[in-house]
Amino acid sequence: IRAFLNRYFETWSKRDMEGYGACFAPEARILFIARSGEIVSEGTVDFLHGQKLAHERSSFPMTERPLEMKIQGDMKVAQAVVTWVLNKGAKEERGTDFFTLRRDGAGWRVVSLVFYGE
């Protein structure tokens, strides 16, 4: 699971949207909690499109790396809490991802993700 989560962050940071997209189950839901408290909910296709646009529109290369991972579960379903740091040029942002993962024939996949930045 730790290797899967590292690949999740690495593919995003390398702008490998195909590899990043492969980390998600097609039916996954992604929820972003804005600073205002508003919850934005998206399916996989819309979320991945937004991530691709974020990279394309950024003035600086963006990289994200995990700082700490807490993982629990079994061989079928797992939950992970990952604190991370996002670098946009000299600017740094921290946040937390709450993953629910499912193991299928191809490995682990995100079935739900709730995240926020600080």
Side-chain angles (χ1 to χ4, degrees), residues 29-98:
R29 292 302 300 174
I30 298 91
L31 295 101
F32 171 68
I33 302 175
R35 286 187 173 94
S36 66
E38 177 187 7
I39 298 172
V40 178
S41 176
E42 296 180 299
T44 304
V45 171
D46 291 337
F47 175 73
L48 293 173
H49 179 70
Q51 295 300 295
K52 180 180 177 186
L53 289 177
H55 274 296
E56 289 173 357
R57 294 177 177 165
S58 178
S59 302
F60 301 98
M62 296 188 297
T63 59
E64 191 174 62
R65 64 182 168 83
L67 299 174
E68 182 181 356
M69 295 182 190
K70 297 176 186 169
I71 301 166
Q72 66 180 19
D74 57 26
M75 293 307 293
K76 197 173 195 176
V77 175
Q79 293 183 315
V81 179
V82 181
T83 56
W84 45 262
V85 62
L86 170 65
N87 293 100
K88 296 179 186 180
K91 185 179 174 187
E92 208 175 75
E93 180 181 326
R94 293 176 185 261
T96 304
D97 288 351
F98 293 82

Side-chain angles (χ1 to χ4, degrees), residues 2-48:
R2 190 171 302 278
F4 166 80
L5 292 169
N6 282 322
R7 187 177 72 233
Y8 170 92
F9 286 98
E10 288 169 9
T11 55
W12 187 89
S13 294
K14 291 178 180 176
R15 296 182 177 202
D16 174 6
M17 291 295 112
E18 186 175 319
Y20 183 66
C23 294
F24 291 86
E27 64 277 8
R29 292 302 300 174
I30 298 91
L31 295 101
F32 171 68
I33 302 175
R35 286 187 173 94
S36 66
E38 177 187 7
I39 298 172
V40 178
S41 176
E42 296 180 299
T44 304
V45 171
D46 291 337
F47 175 73
L48 293 173

